[in-house]
Amino acid sequence: DADVTQTPRNRITKTGKRIMLECSQTKGHDRMYWYRQDPGLGLRLIYYSFDVKDINKGEISDGYSVSRQAQAKFSLSLESAIPNQTALYFCATDPGTGLGEQFFGPGTRLTVL
Amino acid sequence: GEDVEQSLFLSVREGDSSVINCTYTDSSSTYLYWYKQEPGAGLQLLTYIFSNMDMKQDQRLTVLLNKKDKHLSLRIADTQTGDSAIYFCAEKGTGNTPLVFGKGTRLSVIA
C-alpha cells in the first residue's frame, strides 16, 4: 500500500467551483506539504504544516486554503477555482529528522475549465 | 528568497554518461538533494549530500558538490532508457525552512 495517497487522482471542474484535494499518509510524519507543478515552472510550495495546529503559507498561497484535520490528513481547498489553477498537485510528508527528505504522493491532476 | 537553478532539458545516448547541473544561492545550505520524477508519478529521493562533503557515489550515481561556487552536479554512468525522467535539484537551509526545488531537468535517453 502507498504510504502517501492523494484523492482524487484526476479532476475536471468549472470556473468558480469549490474543490478539495485530500492527502493521507501512513508514515507517521508530522510535517506535510502541498505543491503545484507546472511545465517550465517546476515545483512551487503552496502551504505546509509541521503539526496539527501549525499552518504556514508557502510561495503561492493566494487562492488556496488548507486544513490539517489530523496528523495523517492534510487537505487543500480551492474556494473558487480559476483556469490558471490547472496544474498537477502533489502532497508530501517529512519525518522532521533534520535530513529534510520528503516523501511524495502520486499527484492529482486538476483541470479548471 | 533562496533560488535553485538548473537547465530544463538534457538529451543523451544510451550507454553514455549524463551530467545534470544545478546552482543554488543559499550559503547556509545543510543538505542538497536529487529527486527523480518518472512519468505519471510523484518525486522520489534519488540521493542527497551533506554540505560538508565534496562527493558521494552510489552505484551508477555520482554527486559532486562545489560549495564555494554553490554548484551541484549529478552524474549517471551508463545511462539507460529507464533513466528518462525529470530530475529535480533541491536544497535545505538551516532550521525549519522548507526545501527549495529547482525547476527540474528533463533527461531524454536516446536508444
Side-chain angles (χ1 to χ4, degrees):
Chain A
D1 286 341
D3 295 320
V4 184
T5 57
Q6 293 183 233
T7 55
R9 291 295 312 279
N10 287 282
R11 181 72 183 265
I12 300 173
T13 192
K14 294 183 178 179
T15 297
K17 293 290 188 183
R18 184 179 188 274
I19 183 161
M20 181 182 288
L21 308 183
E22 302 200 12
C23 176
S24 291
Q25 53 115 347
T26 58
K27 300 185 82 64
H29 293 168
D30 284 328
R31 300 182 178 195
M32 298 185 74
Y33 306 81
W34 274 106
Y35 294 90
R36 67 176 277 177
Q37 184 180 19
D38 299 273
L41 296 178
L43 220 57
R44 293 183 291 167
L45 182 63
I46 306 172
Y47 272 96
Y48 61 103
S49 167
F50 284 170
D51 203 344
V52 173
K53 294 188 187 330
D54 177 69
I55 300 290
N56 303 281
K57 291 184 177 182
E59 182 188 347
I60 53 161
S61 59
D62 286 349
Y64 302 94
S65 63
V66 290
S67 172
R68 184 80 186 269
Q69 303 96 317
Q71 188 205 37
K73 295 184 184 299
F74 193 32
S75 302
L76 176 72
S77 293
L78 288 69
E79 297 301 325
S80 179
I82 55 176
N84 79 358
Q85 291 177 313
T86 293
L88 191 51
Y89 289 85
F90 287 104
C91 173
T93 72
D94 167 0
T97 57
L99 172 56
E101 179 184 2
Q102 291 187 11
F103 297 82
F104 283 78
T108 293
R109 185 167 294 282
L110 176 66
T111 303
V112 184
L113 301 176
Chain B
E2 304 302 342
D3 196 22
V4 174
E5 296 281 344
Q6 46 183 135
S7 54
L8 294 183
F9 300 98
L10 177 65
S11 182
V12 298
R13 292 200 175 278
E14 191 175 19
D16 288 350
S17 291
S18 308
V19 179
I20 304 172
N21 294 299
C22 167
T23 58
Y24 59 98
T25 59
D26 187 358
S27 56
S28 63
S29 287
T30 53
Y31 289 95
L32 295 114
Y33 314 81
W34 286 104
Y35 280 82
K36 178 182 181 182
Q37 183 184 27
E38 296 187 357
L43 282 69
Q44 274 197 301
L45 182 67
L46 200 56
T47 187
Y48 67 92
I49 187 167
F50 190 45
S51 60
N52 69 353
M53 296 170 64
D54 298 325
M55 184 179 87
K56 182 179 181 181
Q57 189 144 6
D58 183 3
Q59 298 182 331
R60 292 190 298 123
L61 305 178
T62 303
V63 178
L64 295 177
L65 174 60
N66 181 326
K67 197 170 180 181
K68 174 176 166 291
D69 294 339
K70 299 191 186 69
H71 182 267
L72 182 75
S73 68
L74 173 70
R75 178 177 181 269
I76 305 173
D78 186 25
T79 311
Q80 303 297 307
T81 54
D83 295 322
S84 293
I86 302 175
Y87 291 81
F88 289 89
C89 173
E91 67 93 16
K92 181 183 185 304
T94 56
N96 286 327
T97 54
L99 300 190
V100 178
F101 286 86
K103 290 180 170 51
T105 299
R106 183 179 294 273
L107 174 64
S108 297
V109 182
I110 306 163

